[in-house]
Amino acid sequence: MKQDGYFHRVHTQTPTRMWINNVSRLQAKEAIEAGAVGCTQNPSYVWKMMNNEEERPYVFEKLDIILRSEPDDNQALIKLQRELVEGIANIFMDIYEKSHGEDGYVSIQGDPFDESVDTIVECARYNTENLPNMTAKIPVVEGGIAAIKELAPERVPINTTEIMTVDQVMTVLKLYEEACERIKNPAHMYYSVITGIYDEHLHNFIEENNIDISSDLMCQAGMTVARKCYWMVKERKCNLRFIGGGARGLHHFTEMVGADAIVTINWEGTADKLVDQNPPVVQRFFMPVPLSVEDELINKVEDFKRAYMLGSLQPEEYEDFGAVVLFRSQFESAWKNALKTIQERRAKIK
């Protein structure tokens, strides 16, 4: 294994770690070779693998077996997703074992159309029952918050997700601190600030509202929120672990270099480009955001203010915040497409 590539040098020179997102089995191995130490899969994963030329025969082979005994199409999709993601988790198992459970985790999230407490809890237990490095990915919305309260004392590893605001992070922090008071040696818990999707939402927001603001300022918005989240947790001296997610450009990785953080990125279009470009390792995360930038974003962009200012949102408002809606809609679209394919496959094999 080459140890002088970009991500290996990031790992050597900084506390920043790279996880890979929504990968095939081959891409997982390539990402590990490049320096990945963990993986996130989301509800788009099955649909993505159904459209992956190399993985498609493997996916339908697994699906056909499931369909013989599972009459419900949505349950078949849940079972198929776990089986596929477990295949990736097994690839990362060596990292998990060699790091004594510090690295090598692979996260999995359930049905995006049903984020009720009971469904999230049931799905999280089901998805993590077979392998120790499987992490339940749980959205920080009302149902997810209640589910985390139930699952954390059971020592289920949890990756809290769909986080776009400081308020959501502080909610997760409180949950984790409460879990730590109740049990010894709690499982790892992560909070994933979805910076790239948040930036995508703000871009749409300023266009829809005809807001006159520099694109240079907007480029800093997501990272400004992420930095505040990071420092508010660090100030509490808490072991809750930061993940930067939803990358939509190389800067969503490179701007986080230096942080004691995990950054999740896609293999194609992001990680592979950074491998090829092999840029210098520059620690950028701790560069301060000018106060003038913060002031203009707060004064001009309401959805920046709501994300950045503590106390702007209540838990019952999290799921309807625009950036969260955008993120979830992408999962719902892919889940719906995968479900339709399963229905067609069932009819075909009959």
Side-chain angles (χ1 to χ4, degrees), residues 165-175 177 228-229 232-233 236 310 318:
T165 72
V166 172
D167 282 319
Q168 287 175 288
V169 171
M170 297 310 291
T171 295
V172 174
L173 176 62
K174 182 180 178 182
L175 293 172
E177 288 179 337
K228 185 172 183 179
C229 294
M232 291 189 78
V233 172
R236 297 282 280 266
L310 188 62
Y318 293 164

Side-chain angles (χ1 to χ4, degrees), residues 76-94:
L77 177 50
I78 290 169
K79 290 179 179 180
L80 177 61
Q81 179 184 234
R82 187 181 79 167
E83 188 142 354
L84 297 179
V85 177
E86 282 184 345
I88 302 298
N90 278 315
I91 294 172
F92 278 87
M93 187 64 73
D94 187 56

Side-chain angles (χ1 to χ4, degrees), residues 67 73 340-350:
L67 291 177
D73 292 333
K340 181 180 178 182
T341 301
I342 288 172
Q343 293 166 346
E344 293 170 349
R345 186 74 177 184
R346 186 187 296 277
K348 183 178 180 180
I349 63 175
K350 277 185 178 179

Side-chain angles (χ1 to χ4, degrees), residues 10-50:
V10 168
H11 292 187
T12 299
Q13 298 175 34
T14 81
T16 311
R17 298 292 177 263
M18 185 267 278
W19 281 17
I20 205 68
N21 182 57
N22 269 5
V23 285
S24 66
R25 291 171 296 168
L26 176 60
Q27 290 169 340
K29 294 171 184 176
E30 291 174 335
I32 290 171
E33 184 74 17
V37 296
C39 179
T40 54
Q41 313 285 45
N42 61 44
S44 303
Y45 183 64
V46 173
W47 176 241
K48 185 173 182 179
M49 292 303 101
M50 284 176 168

